[in-house]
Amino acid sequence: MAAAQAAQLPRRIIKETQRLLSEPAPGISASPSEENLRYFNVMILGPSASPYEGGAFKLELFLPEDYPMAPPKVRFLTKIYHPNVDKLGRICLDILKDKWSPALQIRTVLLSIQALMSAPNPDDPLAENVAKHWKDNEQEAIATAKEWTRLYATM
Amino acid sequence: MAGIQVPRNFRLLEELEKGEKGIGDGTVSYGMDDSDDMLMRNWTGTIIGPANSVHDGRIYTLKLFCDLSYPERPPQVRFHSRINMNCVLNDGRIDVGRFPTLGNWRREYTMETVLTELRREMVSPANKKLPQPPENTNF
């Protein structure tokens, strides 16, 4: 069944998948699910010197029918305390919305999410209360993010 | 284009966003119960009873449960508001044998489909004149 599915898969997606598997970006793994080759299980390690360091964060990524004209859909499955991620794991990132370009790839999207973990942006919040916490008391917010990393993102 | 299937979670996120924007004229609506549940399982739906039936103007609340097999399998649906309808059991659950949207479920159906079709059932000859329990009472 996977072979039949692969036959229908656009060459671009096949190429991207092969490269993700053969040359994974540091701290990032992404592999397609067996039942749906447009649906990826993703793991991003918390970047060093970020509140997420030491954590392993699961995400899911789906390439919609009009990919690469439309961006991939991505969300966190692991709970994360971050001003640009809401309670359902949805991510506020410009390249996932109006700044998407078909020149970008799954790899660039995941690297951007990893960068967002290193540099939370409370001025463009998705989780209002977390962003407020970040602006009012950054040290305490970072402590909460570290605690959540320990609670939810470590095996 | 057969074979491109939106996986469960992204499908439910699409439904959530559509529900938040509001559907059509608002005669059916739905939303998620627990905004902390990353699996998006519990939902509340609302149907405004259609004109030309005993249900005219009544507001019915329903509970929908989307387990991990959704949308391969239908959601579990029950009326919270009391209603007398031939496809609704004594405890508010839907008799799937009498409601083909659930009985002959297809992956492309959504919670909106379920609510819209239930609303359509309310004006069917079998249902539109059935005596009803008092308004605003619950199962």
Side-chain angles (χ1 to χ4, degrees), chain A residues 5 8 36 38-39 60-65 73-79 86-90, chain B residues 1-10 13-14 16-17 20 32 34-40:
Chain A
Q5 260 198 64
Q8 298 179 347
N36 187 343
R38 288 173 172 266
Y39 181 52
E60 56 184 350
L61 179 147
F62 174 64
L63 303 174
E65 185 173 342
K73 295 175 183 293
V74 199
R75 77 161 185 153
F76 277 90
L77 288 167
T78 304
K79 273 170 79 87
D86 76 3
K87 288 201 255 183
L88 292 177
R90 291 179 290 188
Chain B
M1 281 291 108
I4 297 185
Q5 296 206 323
V6 180
R8 175 189 184 276
N9 294 345
F10 290 106
L13 286 173
E14 283 175 11
L16 174 66
E17 278 153 29
E20 283 170 346
M32 205 168 64
D34 176 4
S35 61
D36 278 332
D37 179 14
M38 293 192 87
L39 293 172
M40 300 172 278

Side-chain angles (χ1 to χ4, degrees), chain A residues 20-141:
Chain A
L20 281 168
L21 295 171
S22 63
E23 303 163 45
I28 296 175
S29 71
S31 54
S33 95
E34 279 180 26
E35 307 87 64
N36 187 343
L37 297 174
R38 288 173 172 266
Y39 181 52
F40 290 72
N41 301 303
V42 176
M43 181 82 86
I44 300 182
L45 300 179
S48 56
S50 82
Y52 313 104
E53 184 172 6
F57 294 83
K58 281 175 71 173
L59 297 90
E60 56 184 350
L61 179 147
F62 174 64
L63 303 174
E65 185 173 342
D66 39 2
Y67 180 83
M69 298 319 291
K73 295 175 183 293
V74 199
R75 77 161 185 153
F76 277 90
L77 288 167
T78 304
K79 273 170 79 87
I80 178 169
Y81 197 76
H82 190 294
N84 311 105
V85 182
D86 76 3
K87 288 201 255 183
L88 292 177
R90 291 179 290 188
I91 304 162
C92 180
L93 186 63
D94 55 2
I95 60 160
L96 291 175
K97 301 186 175 108
D98 53 323
K99 293 283 170 15
W100 171 253
S101 144
L104 299 171
Q105 298 187 11
I106 302 171
R107 172 186 301 268
T108 27
V109 165
L110 297 179
L111 285 167
S112 300
I113 294 170
Q114 193 185 43
L116 189 67
M117 292 168 78
S118 285
N121 179 8
D123 292 319
D124 184 22
L126 192 59
E128 298 283 350
N129 56 336
V130 179
K132 188 171 184 309
H133 195 188
W134 225 275
K135 284 181 161 179
D136 292 350
N137 189 340
E138 188 171 343
Q139 275 200 330
E140 192 187 280

